[in-house]
Amino acid sequence: MSFADKNNEIEFISKRMNMVDEQIIHRGVKDTLVLNAMRSVPRHKFVPKGLENDAYNDAPLPIGDKQTISQPYIVASMTEELDINSKCKVLEIGTGSGYQTAILAEIAELVFSIEIIPSLSTASDSILAQLEYKNIKTIKGDGYRGWSNEAPFDRIIITAATPKIPNTLLSQLIDGGIMVLPLEKKVGHQKLTKITKENNSYKTDILYSVRFVPMVGEIEK
């Protein structure tokens, strides 16, 4: 690594620490595991070339194919709501850039991630491999179908807005499990929603307003 590259990495580390302090802790995220993950994962590796210096700003960024990498606070908040521990098996619907995937992998035992857009799947696979994550498995496919061969899951996170809670994914969640997703029952009105499965019934908590790109795939009828 050249001297200039070392200086750049030091600057990115400083920006990452500031991101956690000013954008995430300041807005109420308290889970130590989540904060440590956000401090560890190099977000600038997951954005397109030319946007690295913007990677730690409090904003989403485009990653191609009309998709985005969510703003850091949303990533941290959704991860905290999942209440992950080191024994959790997590399903992520929408790998996207791979950044949320990496955050999950810093905490969970295993992460399974599905991406329907081939170019994003290929790019995120490459980044995650370069960062040497060994507890992530990915596939190209329709997230609405879940990953039945690996089910059930302790936690499920959906990183795109869906008009309804997918029953197929609920069926792949363990009893006592948690799902977090952006729900858009009315066009233009999305609410981050937390589903807790208890004795084969579901408790629903509406958390706060969000704005995500729409989920791509075949919606259940």
Side-chain angles (χ1 to χ4, degrees):
M1 183 181 292
S2 69
F3 181 76
D5 288 338
K6 286 181 180 179
N7 279 345
N8 284 338
E9 287 303 314
I10 291 171
E11 183 177 351
F12 284 135
I13 290 171
S14 177
K15 287 183 176 182
R16 192 155 65 246
M17 298 306 110
N18 288 336
M19 174 193 78
V20 174
D21 291 341
E22 297 173 9
Q23 300 174 32
I24 297 171
I25 295 176
H26 183 70
R27 294 178 70 176
V29 176
K30 298 177 181 178
D31 188 313
T32 301
L33 295 176
V34 174
L35 297 176
N36 286 343
M38 298 296 290
R39 291 186 181 106
S40 298
V41 178
R43 183 178 166 88
H44 61 282
K45 301 285 188 182
F46 294 88
V47 303
K49 288 187 177 181
L51 294 180
E52 294 94 341
N53 288 330
D54 298 323
Y56 299 101
N57 294 346
D58 187 23
L61 293 170
I63 57 172
D65 293 284
K66 299 181 180 179
Q67 305 298 302
T68 61
I69 179 174
S70 296
Q71 72 185 95
Y73 167 72
I74 293 295
V75 173
S77 178
M78 290 181 73
T79 307
E80 183 174 54
E81 292 295 342
L82 279 177
D83 191 23
I84 306 171
N85 60 52
S86 61
K87 296 181 180 179
C88 281
K89 181 179 178 183
V90 181
L91 174 64
E92 178 190 35
I93 306 302
T95 314
S97 69
Y99 178 66
Q100 173 75 81
T101 320
I103 295 295
L104 297 171
E106 289 285 329
I107 306 170
E109 181 177 14
L110 291 169
V111 177
F112 296 82
S113 188
I114 304 172
E115 175 55 56
I116 196 170
I117 300 174
S119 59
L120 293 183
S121 180
T122 299
S124 58
D125 280 353
S126 176
I127 296 167
L128 294 168
Q130 289 172 23
L131 295 175
E132 300 184 340
Y133 282 100
K134 306 298 184 185
N135 61 335
I136 296 173
K137 294 184 179 180
T138 64
I139 56 170
K140 299 181 184 73
D142 187 339
Y144 278 109
R145 299 178 183 177
W147 199 328
S148 58
N149 291 343
E150 296 292 350
F153 300 95
D154 301 296
R155 305 286 188 269
I156 298 177
I157 181 172
I158 302 178
T159 60
T162 176
K164 61 183 291 187
I165 300 168
N167 288 323
T168 299
L169 296 181
L170 285 176
S171 72
Q172 294 180 17
L173 188 64
I174 67 162
D175 197 57
I178 296 171
M179 179 190 297
V180 174
L181 73 158
L183 196 58
E184 187 174 22
K185 290 187 176 181
K186 182 180 178 182
V187 176
H189 296 271
Q190 298 178 12
K191 298 290 185 180
L192 192 66
T193 304
K194 181 176 180 177
I195 310 294
T196 305
K197 189 173 182 178
E198 298 175 343
N199 298 319
N200 291 316
S201 62
Y202 304 96
K203 175 188 175 186
T204 302
D205 293 306
I206 306 301
L207 303 176
Y208 52 82
S209 296
V210 289
R211 183 179 295 178
F212 279 78
V213 297
M215 186 168 167
V216 179
E218 186 175 350
I219 300 173
E220 297 168 334
K221 296 179 180 179

